[in-house]
Amino acid sequence: MRLPKDSAVVTIPSHPKYLCVVREAAARMADMGGFDASSVEDIRLAVDEACSNVIKYAYGGDSGKQITVRFRNSAAGFEALIEDSGPRTDPACLKGRDLDEVRPGGLGMHFIRRTFDVVAFDEKKRNGNRLRLLKYRDRGHEDRHTGT
Amino acid sequence: MKIDIQEHKGVKVFALSGEIDMASSPALRSELMALVGRKAPVVFVDFKDVSYIDSSGIATFVEGLKAMMPYGGRLKLLGVPAKIMEIFNFSKLDKVFEIYGNVEDAFKG
């Protein structure tokens, strides 16, 4: 399969010990896409959280499945498509806990939403889930990138 | 992640290094909750050499803190790197945890 320009695909087993692989790939791709160091770290954490959610919720902790993450840099920004073969996820779960409520858990979605401008499941995917994460470039960067 | 449990002037200090994530936080939880189960009055967690933390790592410390509160225990975080401090700030947990620059400050606080 030929990859689109400025893209990479990483497939990991659904075991937490492989999350370091996918988050490192996310950070490297964001860095190659020209994002600043702070945004790169935000992307590292947000992609990690999204994959952790797949392990916990889509696969119910089953480490014998797979997660595929497709990264792409474009003039628009940085995109990650996270695919699993678990049961359909209810989009309503894309909501974290109230930040004023102090209890363990419920922060991952906040970390994803604070980083990405678009957080949406692909409704057209028939089997499993495909979560689309997109972070737009700031206009200043895009102008520098394209020389406009 | 490496967990080095030291004792400083009678206080247990968790000196952590590396990445705290979904893979490593269960080991951290186990060590921390064992200490909390023995009703340790004060526990320091040194973040100086921690390069990364995810929501499962944060949840571990929230759980530890909540378990210490009923008996008046204190969980003090030290040397939190700027990027990790930003996560605590965003999560509004900077107002929940006692956070100090270093071990000397933590003893004074």
Side-chain angles (χ1 to χ4, degrees), chain A residues 13 26 32 39 41-42 45 47 70 79 85 91 102 143 146:
Chain A
M32 280 191 262
S39 295
E41 291 310 308
D42 289 344
L45 176 61
V47 170
R70 300 172 193 279
E79 183 183 61
S85 59
V102 180
D143 290 347
T146 58

Side-chain angles (χ1 to χ4, degrees), chain A residues 8-86:
Chain A
V9 179
V10 176
T11 297
I12 58 164
S14 57
H15 190 290
K17 72 181 178 183
Y18 295 101
L19 289 171
C20 59
V21 175
V22 77
R23 67 175 178 257
E24 188 61 29
R28 292 295 181 112
M29 283 298 289
D31 183 53
M32 280 191 262
F35 286 87
D36 63 32
S38 179
S39 295
V40 166
E41 291 310 308
D42 289 344
I43 288 170
R44 181 197 301 270
L45 176 61
V47 170
D48 185 351
E49 296 289 352
C51 293
S52 296
N53 282 348
V54 170
I55 294 173
K56 281 187 280 190
Y57 303 117
Y59 290 148
D62 183 346
S63 59
K65 307 284 188 181
Q66 286 190 347
I67 304 170
T68 294
V69 187
R70 300 172 193 279
F71 300 106
R72 190 165 72 97
N73 284 310
S74 67
F78 172 93
E79 183 183 61
L81 298 175
I82 300 170
E83 298 177 354
D84 65 66
S85 59

Side-chain angles (χ1 to χ4, degrees), chain A residues 16-17 19-20 23 38 41-42 44-45 48-49 52 55-56 99-100 102-105 107-108 110-111 114, chain B residues 19-23 51-56 58-60 62-63 65-66 83 86-87 90-93 96:
Chain A
K17 72 181 178 183
L19 289 171
C20 59
R23 67 175 178 257
S38 179
E41 291 310 308
D42 289 344
R44 181 197 301 270
L45 176 61
D48 185 351
E49 296 289 352
S52 296
I55 294 173
K56 281 187 280 190
L99 287 175
D100 290 317
V102 180
R103 65 169 173 82
L107 290 175
H110 286 292
F111 296 154
R114 78 165 187 158
Chain B
E19 300 185 326
I20 307 173
D21 68 359
M22 191 183 174
S51 55
Y52 177 83
I53 190 165
D54 73 354
S55 64
S56 70
I58 301 272
T60 300
V62 172
E63 187 180 358
L65 179 68
K66 291 198 88 166
K83 189 64 197 173
E86 191 189 299
I87 293 170
F90 169 78
S91 311
K92 300 187 179 180
L93 292 171
V96 174

